[in-house]
Amino acid sequence: MKTKLLIVTLILLSSFIRGQEVIMLTKSEVVSKVKENSNTLKISQQDVLAAKGDFQQTNAVFLPNITASHTGFSTTNPLMAFGSKLNQEILTQNDFNPSLLNNPTKTQNFATKLEIQQPLINLDGFYKRKAAKSKMNAVSLKTERIQDYLLFEVEKSYMQLQLAYTAVEVLEKALEAANANKKIADNNFKQGLLQRTDVLNVEVRVTEVKNQLQTANSNVQNASNYISFLMNDENYVVYKPTESLTVLSFKVGKKIISENRPDIKAMQLASNGYEALNKADKMAFLPRLNAFGSYEIYDNKVFQGNANGYSIGAQISWDLFQGSKRFGKAQKSKAEFEKSKLAYTQYVSKSNLELNKVKRQLLDAKNRLNLTVLAVQQSKESLRIRKNRFREGLEKTSDLLMAETQFAQKQLEHFQTIFEHNFTQIYLEFITKE
C-alpha cells in the first residue's frame, strides 16, 4: 500500500514539474538580470546616494547662508514706533514732541530684509567634511563589494542548479537499472530461482531510488527559486542550465589578500573618517570666524521701499565652556577611532585566516576529485560483473543491490566533489579579488 501511494505521489510530482514552465538559462543571462534587477544592489546604491547627500551638506563650511524675509507689524510701543519711523526715514521735528514720544499713534512698519552669513574659519567643520567624504567613498566601495558578492552567489547558485540536474540524471539511470533488475528478479522468482524475500529487497531498492529522485527534483526547484530570487523575478519557474557541471580550472598562483579589496579599503576609509571626526571634536575648542551682511528696505506700506540701509561685519565666536560636553565628545570619538583601527586589523587577519583555510580546502578537493573518479570506475566495473553473474543466477540479490547502491552513491559523490572543487576555486577568486 505504501509503495502504491509513493508511486502516485511521484506521478503527481512529475506531472506538476512538467506542468511548470521550464526555461533554458545561461549564466551570463543571470549575471545581467542580477546587475539590473537585484534589490540588494539597489538598496546599496541608495546608501551611496544618502552618503553623497551627507557630504553635500558639508558644503555649508564654504558656501554662504542666504535668507530673505518680509515682516509687517503695527505698534503703539514708544520705542518701536520711533525706531520704525527712523528706519522709514519719515521722522519730522514734531515727532520729538515728548507727548508724541510717550504716547505715539499707531505706527505701521513693513521691512524686507536680505541677509547673508559667510563662514570664514571653521576648523571643526573642515574635518567633519573630510569625515563625510571618507564615509561616502567607503559606502561606494561597500556597494562595489556587494556586487562582487552577488556575482559570486550567481556562480554558486548556477552550479547548484547544474548539480541538481546532474543528480536527477544519475538517479533516473539508477531507477531504470533498478526496474530492469526487478523484471529479472520477477522472472527468476516465477522460475523458482529466487525467494520472495529477494524480490522484496529489489522492490525496496526501487522505492529508495524513487525517493531519492523525488528529492533531486525538489532540489531542482529549490535552486531555480533561489536564482529567481537573485534576479528579483517573482515568476518562480523551473530553470535548466545550458551548460553541464564540469571541472573548472583557474590559475591559483600566489593568491593573497589585497588591501585594495573594496571591503577592506572601505574599512580603512571608515577608520579615516573616525579619525577626522576626532580631530573635528578637538578643533571645536578653537574660535570661529564668520562674516555677515544684510540689506533692508522699510516702508509704512506693504511691499514698498522708500527707505533702505545695509550693514556688514565679521564675528569671532568662542565657546569657552559647555559643561564638559566637548571633553566627553572628544573622548568618545577618540575611542571610536581606536576601535575602528582594531576592527580593521582584525578583519584583515581574519581574511588571511580564511584564505589559508580555502587553499587547504582546494587542495583537499583536488585530491578527492581524483579519488572519486577512480571510485566511480571501480564501482561501475563491479556492478557490471555482478549484473552478469546475477543474470546467470550466480550472484546474490543482496550483493547486486549493494553494488547498484554503491555505484549510484559514487557517481553522486563524484559530482558533489566537482561542485565543491569549483565552488572553492570561485570562492578563492572572490576573497582575493582587488
Side-chain angles (χ1 to χ4, degrees):
M1 185 65 182
K2 291 183 178 179
T3 303
K4 290 181 179 179
L5 288 174
L6 179 60
I7 293 173
V8 172
T9 302
L10 285 172
I11 292 172
L12 292 175
L13 179 62
S14 300
S15 300
F16 174 72
I17 293 174
R18 285 195 297 270
Q20 285 188 297
E21 184 181 5
V22 178
I23 298 178
M24 302 297 294
L25 190 67
T26 65
K27 192 195 308 181
S28 59
E29 288 175 337
V30 183
V31 170
S32 177
K33 290 182 180 180
V34 167
K35 286 183 177 180
E36 182 179 355
N37 301 324
S38 173
N39 279 335
T40 302
L41 195 56
K42 290 178 180 179
I43 291 171
S44 65
Q45 289 169 351
Q46 293 303 314
D47 289 337
V48 173
L49 294 178
K52 286 183 178 179
D54 288 339
F55 178 66
Q56 287 180 348
Q57 292 181 51
T58 63
N59 289 337
V61 176
F62 306 106
L63 301 180
N65 183 21
I66 303 175
T67 58
S69 63
H70 183 77
T71 306
F73 63 87
S74 179
T75 182
T76 58
N77 180 281
L79 182 61
M80 294 184 66
F82 184 83
S84 295
K85 288 184 177 181
L86 185 62
N87 284 332
Q88 295 170 14
E89 300 177 2
I90 58 174
L91 280 177
T92 63
Q93 186 68 33
N94 190 45
D95 290 317
F96 288 92
N97 187 329
S99 62
L100 290 178
L101 285 174
N102 292 325
N103 297 288
T105 60
K106 182 176 70 173
T107 302
Q108 289 184 326
N109 184 63
F110 296 93
T112 301
K113 185 176 183 181
L114 182 67
E115 189 174 13
I116 299 176
Q117 294 179 338
Q118 174 65 55
L120 297 178
I121 300 177
N122 189 347
L123 296 179
D124 61 331
F126 296 154
Y127 281 103
K128 286 180 180 178
R129 177 179 172 83
K130 186 176 180 180
K133 186 175 183 180
S134 294
K135 178 186 176 182
M136 179 183 68
N137 293 334
V139 173
S140 179
L141 288 170
K142 182 181 176 182
T143 299
E144 183 181 339
R145 188 59 176 174
I146 288 175
Q147 178 171 303
D148 291 341
Y149 175 75
L150 287 174
L151 297 181
F152 165 72
E153 280 292 298
V154 168
E155 294 276 359
K156 183 181 74 173
S157 60
Y158 196 79
M159 287 193 303
Q160 287 174 333
L161 186 63
Q162 291 174 326
L163 179 62
Y165 271 101
T166 303
V168 169
E169 292 174 4
V170 170
L171 292 170
E172 284 178 344
K173 291 179 181 178
L175 183 58
E176 290 177 7
N179 285 327
N181 290 334
K182 185 178 181 300
K183 289 181 180 180
I184 296 174
D186 289 338
N187 291 332
N188 289 342
F189 175 71
K190 291 177 182 179
Q191 297 174 14
L193 300 176
L194 285 179
Q195 296 180 357
R196 181 59 182 168
T197 55
D198 292 326
V199 177
L200 291 175
N201 287 335
V202 175
E203 290 178 352
V204 169
R205 170 59 184 165
V206 172
T207 303
E208 287 178 349
V209 176
K210 287 179 178 178
N211 277 328
Q212 292 174 345
L213 183 57
Q214 180 181 355
T215 302
N217 282 319
S218 296
N219 289 337
V220 168
Q221 290 184 303
N222 292 337
S224 297
N225 289 348
Y226 186 61
I227 289 177
S228 296
F229 168 75
L230 289 175
M231 297 188 299
N232 195 27
D233 184 1
E234 295 182 357
N235 298 320
Y236 290 104
V237 298
V238 177
Y239 293 112
K240 187 172 184 179
T242 56
E243 307 165 8
S244 58
L245 184 64
T246 56
V247 178
L248 300 178
S249 181
F250 299 149
K251 292 182 179 179
V252 177
K254 294 183 178 180
K255 296 287 187 179
I256 60 171
I257 299 296
S258 173
E259 293 183 355
N260 291 324
R261 201 175 77 181
D263 56 330
I264 294 178
K265 197 170 182 180
M267 287 198 70
Q268 180 63 61
L269 287 173
S271 181
N272 293 343
Y274 281 115
E275 182 181 16
L277 286 176
N278 179 241
K279 290 182 178 179
D281 290 337
K282 292 178 180 179
M283 293 298 173
F285 289 92
L286 299 178
R288 300 176 181 180
L289 177 61
N290 299 300
F292 61 88
S294 64
Y295 178 73
E296 299 115 11
I297 300 175
Y298 298 97
D299 206 292
N300 58 0
K301 296 181 180 179
V302 65
F303 297 121
Q304 298 294 321
N306 290 326
N308 60 74
Y310 71 88
S311 59
I312 58 174
Q315 179 188 44
I316 295 179
S317 60
W318 196 350
D319 293 331
L320 298 177
F321 187 68
Q322 293 184 347
S324 77
K325 176 181 177 181
R326 288 179 298 177
F327 292 100
K329 191 175 181 181
Q331 183 180 5
K332 179 182 177 180
S333 61
K334 174 66 174 178
E336 289 177 340
F337 171 49
E338 295 297 331
K339 178 182 174 181
S340 69
K341 290 195 297 182
L342 293 172
Y344 173 79
T345 303
Q346 184 182 43
Y347 190 76
V348 173
S349 178
K350 188 176 181 180
S351 298
N352 282 304
L353 180 66
E354 185 71 9
L355 174 63
N356 294 331
K357 178 183 176 182
V358 172
K359 285 182 177 179
R360 288 190 293 269
Q361 287 177 339
L362 181 58
L363 182 60
D364 293 340
K366 287 182 177 180
N367 292 334
R368 286 199 308 273
L369 193 59
N370 295 329
L371 292 175
T372 55
V373 170
L374 182 60
V376 169
Q377 293 174 350
Q378 291 174 341
S379 60
K380 182 179 181 180
E381 180 63 17
S382 175
L383 178 60
R384 185 188 67 81
I385 295 172
R386 292 185 185 277
K387 272 187 176 181
N388 293 336
R389 289 174 59 83
F390 180 73
R391 290 191 185 98
E392 298 172 2
L394 302 175
E395 192 71 37
K396 294 179 181 179
T397 306
S398 59
D399 292 338
L400 175 64
L401 296 178
M402 185 179 297
E404 275 189 351
T405 303
Q406 187 180 50
F407 179 56
Q409 286 178 345
K410 295 305 177 184
Q411 284 181 293
L412 294 175
E413 287 177 6
H414 173 63
F415 289 112
Q416 179 66 32
T417 304
I418 292 177
F419 170 81
E420 292 173 359
H421 173 268
N422 294 349
F423 170 77
T424 305
Q425 286 198 106
I426 292 171
Y427 185 55
L428 182 62
E429 291 290 318
F430 171 69
I431 64 175
T432 57
K433 184 177 180 180
E434 295 187 9

